[in-house]
Amino acid sequence: MSARGSPLLSVRGLSKHFGGVAAVDGIDLDVQARETVALIGPNGAGKTTFYNLLSGRMQPTGGSVVFDGRDVTGRPPHEISRLGISRSFQITNIFPELSARENVEVALTALHGKALRFFSRAAADHALHEEADALLGQLGLGALATSRAGTLSYGDKRLLEIAIVLATRPRLVLLDEPTAGMTPEETRGVVALVRRLAGSTQCTFLITEHDMEVVFGLADRIVVLHRGRVLAHGSADEIRASREVREAYLGEPDD
Ligand SMILES: Nc1ncnc2c1ncn2[C@@H]1O[C@H](COP(=O)(O)OP(=O)(O)OP(=O)(O)O)[C@@H](O)[C@H]1O
Ligand SMILES: [Mg+2]
């Protein structure tokens, strides 16, 4: 754990209204560098909308987002991504006709941009291959580098998507249900992976997830959203014990 300095991410009163629906309704949240925070809540709680606000895909109706001391509220996605916030999507977002390696190379090319022009084409290609393969190896996809992305299993596609996110060298990674649709075994693999990445990279992770056991195994801290608001936050034990949280998940309290 890092020392408690100023938070990497500081969200105040963040809101997004769609007509009469308050999808995100005054969220306050601080995230410290290197923390892994799980964002949970029932369907429609506002998790994806919250990510859309952080990543610049949507403009907030109110409130502010400060990242690394800089007010990034309402900035466009490319600026926010350049400052170091990168997100994965709930639906996979890869080029199926390209190989796994080429998919990562596309992201790396966007990152390195002009710097690559100082190299010969061959040297640049070689450097990109090496970097892409190192990333794929980190995610356990090394053997699939030359496979067409479209032919990968669903679980491997989601891992590739995380490789693409990491290729942009983010400081804050937003993972929106990275294990959705995965088999239990694939899910365990992703949990182990995120834990490893949290330990071995400088990245801070915000992760949404429906499976509570996955969350409890992964997060330093859990934030529960309900109807666009923070209903509870705390350690796994605190969240497990919370009656409010159980009620939000189960709907009505037990008869
Ligand atoms: N573009 C939109 N236009 C109108 N309403 C929207 C839009 N996006 C989300 N909403 C509404 O905002 C609320 C929050 O949705 P959101 O997708 O953020 O929830 P979520 O927590 O990610 O849910 P899930 O667990 O199902 O992914 C819902 O009531 C949803 O219908
Ligand atoms: Mg969602």
Side-chain angles (χ1 to χ4, degrees):
M1 284 256 84
S2 64
R4 298 232 146 197
S6 43
L8 180 65
L9 179 73
S10 189
V11 173
R12 287 295 174 271
L14 198 64
S15 300
K16 178 68 181 179
H17 293 214
F18 296 108
V21 179
V24 169
D25 195 15
I27 291 184
D28 294 332
L29 178 68
D30 282 345
V31 178
Q32 305 294 325
R34 308 279 324 259
E35 222 184 348
T36 298
V37 175
L39 199 63
I40 66 172
N43 293 116
K47 305 178 297 290
T48 298
T49 305
F50 183 62
Y51 278 4
N52 284 334
L53 296 174
L54 296 183
S55 65
R57 247 167 98 85
M58 284 178 180
Q59 298 279 322
T61 0
S64 64
V65 180
V66 172
F67 179 67
D68 196 21
R70 210 187 298 238
D71 188 338
V72 300
T73 318
R75 300 249 194 122
H78 67 272
E79 273 186 36
I80 288 184
S81 139
R82 200 177 326 120
L83 290 170
I85 301 181
S86 187
R87 64 166 293 177
S88 75
F89 290 87
Q90 220 167 339
I91 298 163
T92 49
N93 194 34
I94 56 178
F95 298 110
E97 297 303 319
L98 299 183
S99 70
R101 179 194 280 147
E102 286 162 340
N103 266 279
V104 176
E105 287 173 349
V106 169
L108 289 171
T109 305
L111 171 75
H112 295 309
K114 296 184 186 115
L116 288 171
R117 284 194 223 136
F118 294 107
F119 294 93
S120 70
R121 179 67 197 269
D125 282 352
H126 183 71
L128 280 178
H129 276 12
E130 296 235 302
E131 201 175 338
D133 284 356
L135 257 170
L136 290 170
Q138 226 180 341
L139 299 207
L141 295 175
L144 298 171
T146 58
S147 303
R148 259 187 37 202
T151 66
L152 300 182
S153 72
Y154 179 78
D156 285 341
K157 279 183 190 141
R158 304 236 44 184
L159 288 177
L160 176 58
E161 202 191 8
I162 296 176
I164 292 167
V165 166
L166 293 176
T168 64
R169 302 259 175 85
R171 297 172 61 204
L172 174 64
V173 180
L174 312 176
L175 297 175
D176 199 355
E177 297 191 29
T179 71
M182 285 188 170
T183 65
E185 196 188 337
E186 287 170 333
T187 298
R188 280 192 294 277
V190 167
V191 174
L193 169 76
V194 174
R195 214 187 278 126
R196 203 162 65 233
L197 292 172
S200 67
T201 64
Q202 297 298 311
C203 292
T204 302
F205 290 89
L206 251 181
I207 177 166
T208 67
E209 174 60 55
H210 278 291
D211 185 326
M212 297 285 248
E213 287 313 310
V214 169
V215 164
F216 292 150
L218 198 58
D220 298 318
R221 192 153 59 94
I222 297 164
V223 176
V224 186
L225 293 190
H226 186 49
R227 303 205 173 122
R229 293 170 180 237
V230 176
L231 177 76
H233 57 90
S235 67
D237 286 345
E238 285 163 339
I239 295 304
R240 232 191 278 264
S242 162
R243 197 166 60 90
E244 281 163 307
V245 173
R246 282 206 304 273
E247 285 176 9
Y249 269 93
L250 302 173
E252 298 302 311
D254 295 336
D255 323 304

